[in-house]
Amino acid sequence: MIPKPGGGERPLGIPTIRDRVVQTSAKLVLEPILEADFDPNAYGYRPKRSAQDAIRKVHKLLCDGYTDVVDADLSKYFDTIPHCELMQCVARRIVDRKVLHLIKMWLKVPVEEKDDKGNRRLTGGKQNTCGTPQGGVVSPLLANLYMNRFLKYWRITGRGERFQAQVVTYADDFVILSRGHAQQARDWTRQVMSRIGLTLNEAKTSIRRARQERFDFLGYTFGPYRYRKDGHWYLGTGPSKKSISRLRQKVAEVLKPSNVQPWEEVRDQLNRLLRGWAAYFHQGTRLMAYRAIDHHVYTRVRLFLIRRHKVPSRGAGRYPDTAVFGALGVLRLRSLHCSSLS
């Protein structure tokens, strides 16, 4: 089990080396065949598509006037995909019985877990009728294929024109952006998801008016932002508070007092973390987020060093920010922001 960002735990099934090799080989063959049917607004785990593409698409739709948003969430999507219906989706494109049998075996494979006392137990297996094991090479492809049932039905029933809306998905995360018909789109989506064996998480699914309210999608916050120079409002996007909070937790983990690695290794590990975060969050309004992170990183580094070197003060004189982001070599995110503008 691995922790979920919103709380709770998610089961993770790691295939054996032999299964991973076979699943990878099967994916190389199956993916181009199944890709032909996938919706262009589906971006998760697909060749030449990324979360950044989905973020740009959502922002463009907001700017085009699709500001009534269904911020949707599916309950335990990977765990509730029905095997029978999923195999029917596969069989519409794949007719080789041996390949179909192989995929069915992967869906039925038992998962080894440990209980609270550390005893091993097996779950799933032949009696299991739903779910794709997360952690498998082929699982994201199968999850995309089943989500495509919803997107295909949306398309062939003309819901985009009727609701004046578009759906943008990334695996099981999706938003519906419309022009004044968000409630109808949500109600229709709830009914269709129920028919195909899935469930909307009512507690996390909401309707947002993007000109007045913000919503989160793929780590970004979309909605109204104020331009600092003249105070006017605009529809923008930037790193969400949750994304910033998770980065702070990771920084704290790197700079914990028990880390006794040489400073050069600690610094390099910290810089890799910061550079990777900035590489993902490089769109939209990000300067204030970068400043907040720089301040947090400076404070944590200064405290880390004064503990390590037993400095009898708060260390502001010995370790000013010019030294931390200069001679000590810590990455300053604001410098990346300025270089991207030049």
Side-chain angles (χ1 to χ4, degrees):
M1 306 293 284
I2 58 174
K4 297 172 64 176
E9 292 184 326
R10 173 185 291 120
L12 183 67
I14 306 298
T16 62
I17 295 297
R18 180 183 299 176
D19 279 337
R20 291 185 69 85
V21 171
V22 177
Q23 286 189 21
T24 302
S25 302
K27 181 175 179 288
L28 291 173
V29 176
L30 298 176
E31 190 171 58
I33 300 172
L34 301 178
E35 270 283 327
D37 289 334
F38 287 171
D39 192 276
N41 278 351
Y43 293 92
Y45 308 111
R46 295 182 61 188
K48 300 181 181 179
R49 290 172 178 265
S50 67
Q52 296 292 333
D53 297 324
I55 292 161
R56 282 189 286 268
K57 180 67 174 181
V58 170
H59 187 237
K60 182 180 184 303
L61 289 173
L62 290 174
C63 294
D64 289 344
Y66 294 85
T67 55
D68 296 296
V69 180
V70 180
D71 182 11
D73 184 82
L74 291 173
S75 296
K76 299 181 179 180
Y77 173 63
F78 284 87
D79 299 333
T80 57
I81 298 175
H83 291 173
C84 182
E85 288 83 350
L86 175 60
M87 290 305 301
Q88 289 176 2
C89 294
V90 178
R92 289 190 182 98
R93 276 288 186 174
I94 309 299
V95 297
D96 190 305
R97 292 185 177 181
K98 292 182 179 179
V99 174
L100 293 174
H101 179 65
L102 188 62
I103 295 173
K104 189 174 182 179
M105 289 175 61
W106 285 330
L107 294 175
K108 299 291 186 181
V109 67
V111 178
E112 184 180 283
E113 298 178 350
K114 290 185 178 180
D115 57 22
D116 297 336
K117 297 180 180 180
N119 299 321
R120 295 182 178 181
R121 63 179 181 182
L122 294 179
T123 60
K126 293 182 179 180
Q127 305 302 319
N128 194 25
T129 60
C130 60
T132 60
Q134 293 189 68
V137 177
V138 79
S139 293
L141 179 61
L142 297 177
N144 281 342
L145 178 63
Y146 200 71
M147 177 61 79
N148 195 59
R149 287 191 70 190
F150 164 73
L151 297 173
K152 185 177 180 180
Y153 193 54
W154 171 280
R155 185 172 62 251
I156 64 178
T157 56
R159 296 296 154 174
E161 293 76 17
R162 182 169 180 178
F163 297 144
Q164 298 182 50
Q166 293 193 43
V167 185
V168 179
T169 73
Y170 190 90
D172 59 329
D173 293 328
F174 70 99
V175 289
I176 305 174
L177 301 103
S178 74
R179 291 173 171 168
H181 301 279
Q183 185 171 346
Q184 297 95 310
R186 181 197 60 187
D187 295 342
W188 183 87
T189 299
R190 182 190 295 118
Q191 294 175 5
V192 172
M193 289 299 183
S194 179
R195 287 172 57 185
I196 63 177
L198 304 176
T199 306
L200 275 184
N201 188 331
E202 299 294 342
K204 295 183 179 180
T205 299
S206 59
I207 294 177
R208 302 289 184 182
R209 311 292 183 221
R211 294 191 185 277
Q212 293 85 33
E213 303 173 279
R214 293 183 176 186
F215 66 95
D216 291 352
F217 182 59
L218 299 180
Y220 276 78
T221 294
F222 297 84
Y225 283 76
R226 185 187 289 273
Y227 189 54
R228 291 188 301 117
K229 291 186 177 180
D230 59 15
H232 80 268
W233 292 89
Y234 65 96
L235 280 172
T237 181
S240 69
K241 291 182 179 180
K242 288 183 179 180
S243 300
I244 296 173
S245 176
R246 284 196 288 269
L247 177 63
R248 286 175 172 172
Q249 293 174 6
K250 292 179 181 179
V251 169
E253 183 65 23
V254 173
L255 297 175
K256 59 186 178 182
S258 59
N259 188 346
V260 295
Q261 293 177 315
W263 166 247
E264 289 75 15
E265 295 182 15
V266 175
R267 177 201 60 202
D268 292 345
Q269 185 180 358
L270 178 62
N271 285 348
R272 282 194 299 270
L273 174 63
L274 295 173
R275 199 177 298 277
W277 191 90
Y280 182 79
F281 292 101
H282 70 273
Q283 296 191 55
T285 304
R286 57 196 186 278
L287 178 58
M288 297 306 295
Y290 280 14
R291 283 181 173 177
I293 292 167
D294 284 342
H295 178 72
H296 179 75
V297 168
Y298 165 66
T299 303
R300 298 294 304 195
V301 168
R302 178 168 54 82
L303 294 176
F304 176 81
L305 291 175
I306 64 175
R307 279 195 300 263
R308 171 170 286 191
H309 299 292
K310 298 180 174 58
V311 178
S313 68
R314 299 182 65 181
R318 182 170 177 178
Y319 301 110
D321 63 343
T322 53
V324 169
F325 295 113
L328 292 174
V330 176
L331 178 67
R332 189 196 294 266
L333 294 189
R334 275 179 291 176
S335 65
L336 296 180
H337 180 266
C338 294
S339 64
S340 67
L341 298 178
S342 60

